[in-house]
Amino acid sequence: MIAGVIYLLIPLQTKQSQHCEKITAVLLKSRTGEFDLESILFLKLRGLGIHDLGCIGECINLERLDLSGNNISNLAPLASLRLLSVLNLSANRISNLDPLRSCDSLQNLNIAGNVISSTENLHCLASLRKLENIRLKDNTYNYTNPVCRNALYRTVVLEMFPNIKVLDGERIVGRGSDLYQLCKDIDDTIKAGLYKNGQLIEHPDCKPWVEDSYWEIKRSNNAIIEEAYKQFNDVLHECRLLNNRATHVISQTERSMSLKKQPKQFAI
């Protein structure tokens, strides 16, 4: 009877550990294995249904924090995390970012999939000199914010954060930015040429860029090259023969091994 009670309690405890509305010291210690909250440097609390950040502000040495996929709307407890450099708050219910203005070490911020409605809500982050990567929309997961619907959103954000290097996963400056911009311009040009007034333009007279014989290998009259072609074809033929023999030997070996594994039958 006791064993049955223990068996029923284990799934219940597991379910409770997977869903918690408030961050507590017990939760933090169990997730990290640390006895002291100040010793926690990295923390991942993704998709736990959290809406109250509780005592997370006591993790004053925290450097990386993932709170994505929760129900968070109030970021006040994060104001004390001055060493925080990477913060993922995607897929929550956040509209006010003011508490993050004191996170001086913040470099990478993901707030895609929230309810930030205006670029005015981003002014509180302008004083963060180390901030170089901001994401307000993520096409991979179809996360966005109402502010992203503004036609001037991208221009305003880039003016507001002159030190930014990556916006919404797109490299703005630094290594690879020129190539990325070139590819983006080509893509935009192609899309603009394919559509007119929202309708796909048909091009029945499209022709290949090169002649049909362009990719054919032209044989040379040089005797040395001809001999090299012949030797190569001979070696290729021998390789094919060896491959066929090897395949045959392998199949025979597998067949004989399978026969050995079969139980012997005796007639009575």
Side-chain angles (χ1 to χ4, degrees), residues 121-253:
N121 300 118
L122 303 175
H123 279 297
C124 59
L125 305 177
S127 60
L128 302 179
R129 300 304 178 189
K130 295 183 179 180
L131 188 60
E132 57 183 27
N133 189 332
I134 304 176
R135 184 185 284 275
L136 285 104
K137 64 178 180 178
D138 189 336
N139 295 329
T140 303
Y141 299 100
N142 199 25
Y143 292 162
T144 186
N145 280 276
V147 66
C148 300
R149 300 171 189 163
N150 189 333
L152 299 177
Y153 146 75
R154 184 181 177 87
T155 303
V156 173
V157 172
L158 292 178
E159 291 178 354
M160 190 181 303
F161 301 97
N163 297 326
I164 194 173
K165 294 182 179 179
V166 181
L167 175 61
D168 297 333
E170 301 178 5
R171 182 166 288 278
I172 307 303
V173 296
R175 186 177 181 181
S177 59
D178 293 339
L179 177 59
Y180 184 91
Q181 187 60 44
L182 176 61
C183 294
K184 187 174 184 300
D185 292 342
I186 292 174
D187 190 47
D188 292 342
T189 302
I190 293 174
K191 289 180 180 178
L194 290 176
Y195 292 89
K196 184 176 182 181
N197 298 326
Q199 299 295 325
L200 182 65
I201 301 176
E202 296 184 1
H203 298 280
D205 299 328
C206 292
K207 297 181 180 180
W209 292 356
V210 295
E211 299 294 332
D212 294 339
S213 60
Y214 180 82
W215 301 108
E216 294 180 0
I217 300 176
K218 298 179 180 180
R219 302 296 294 268
S220 172
N221 295 327
N222 191 313
I224 297 176
I225 296 179
E226 289 292 334
E227 181 62 24
Y229 271 118
K230 182 178 180 302
Q231 292 180 8
F232 175 77
N233 288 326
D234 291 342
V235 172
L236 185 61
H237 179 67
E238 290 180 7
C239 289
R240 288 171 178 166
L241 292 176
L242 289 173
N243 181 63
N244 293 335
R245 292 174 188 172
T247 302
H248 180 66
V249 171
I250 290 172
S251 63
Q252 284 186 328
T253 304

Side-chain angles (χ1 to χ4, degrees), residues 12 36 46 55 68 82 88 100 125 189:
L12 180 60
D36 187 358
R46 180 187 300 174
C55 64
S68 59
R82 297 185 176 275
N88 187 350
L100 299 183
L125 305 177
T189 302

Side-chain angles (χ1 to χ4, degrees), residues 4-186:
V5 173
I6 294 174
Y7 178 78
L8 290 172
L9 284 175
I10 291 174
L12 180 60
Q13 291 174 350
T14 304
K15 184 176 180 181
Q16 288 176 345
S17 64
Q18 292 176 349
H19 189 278
C20 49
E21 296 183 352
K22 182 178 181 179
I23 295 179
T24 62
V26 174
L27 173 65
L28 295 175
K29 292 176 182 180
S30 65
R31 300 285 291 192
T32 62
E34 298 287 351
F35 293 99
D36 187 358
L37 297 186
E38 294 184 3
S39 301
I40 300 175
L41 302 180
F42 311 106
L43 186 59
K44 183 177 179 181
L45 300 174
R46 180 187 300 174
L48 297 180
I50 298 170
H51 70 80
D52 188 342
L53 294 178
C55 64
I56 198 170
E58 298 179 25
C59 305
I60 58 175
N61 292 313
L62 200 58
E63 297 179 3
R64 291 175 173 264
L65 176 61
D66 185 352
L67 291 169
S68 59
N70 288 289
N71 297 313
I72 301 167
S73 58
N74 183 11
L75 301 179
L78 300 182
S80 60
L81 305 182
R82 297 185 176 275
L83 299 181
L84 194 63
S85 60
V86 179
L87 177 59
N88 187 350
L89 293 169
S90 61
N92 278 282
R93 297 184 297 148
I94 300 166
S95 60
N96 185 1
L97 301 170
D98 284 343
L100 299 183
R101 67 169 68 244
S102 59
C103 298
D104 303 324
S105 302
L106 197 59
Q107 300 177 17
N108 189 319
L109 176 62
N110 186 347
I111 46 178
N114 282 280
V115 287
I116 299 170
S117 58
S118 171
T119 54
E120 297 294 327
N121 300 118
L122 303 175
H123 279 297
C124 59
L125 305 177
S127 60
L128 302 179
R129 300 304 178 189
K130 295 183 179 180
L131 188 60
E132 57 183 27
N133 189 332
I134 304 176
R135 184 185 284 275
L136 285 104
K137 64 178 180 178
D138 189 336
N139 295 329
T140 303
Y141 299 100
N142 199 25
Y143 292 162
T144 186
N145 280 276
V147 66
C148 300
R149 300 171 189 163
N150 189 333
L152 299 177
Y153 146 75
R154 184 181 177 87
T155 303
V156 173
V157 172
L158 292 178
E159 291 178 354
M160 190 181 303
F161 301 97
N163 297 326
I164 194 173
K165 294 182 179 179
V166 181
L167 175 61
D168 297 333
E170 301 178 5
R171 182 166 288 278
I172 307 303
V173 296
R175 186 177 181 181
S177 59
D178 293 339
L179 177 59
Y180 184 91
Q181 187 60 44
L182 176 61
C183 294
K184 187 174 184 300
D185 292 342
I186 292 174

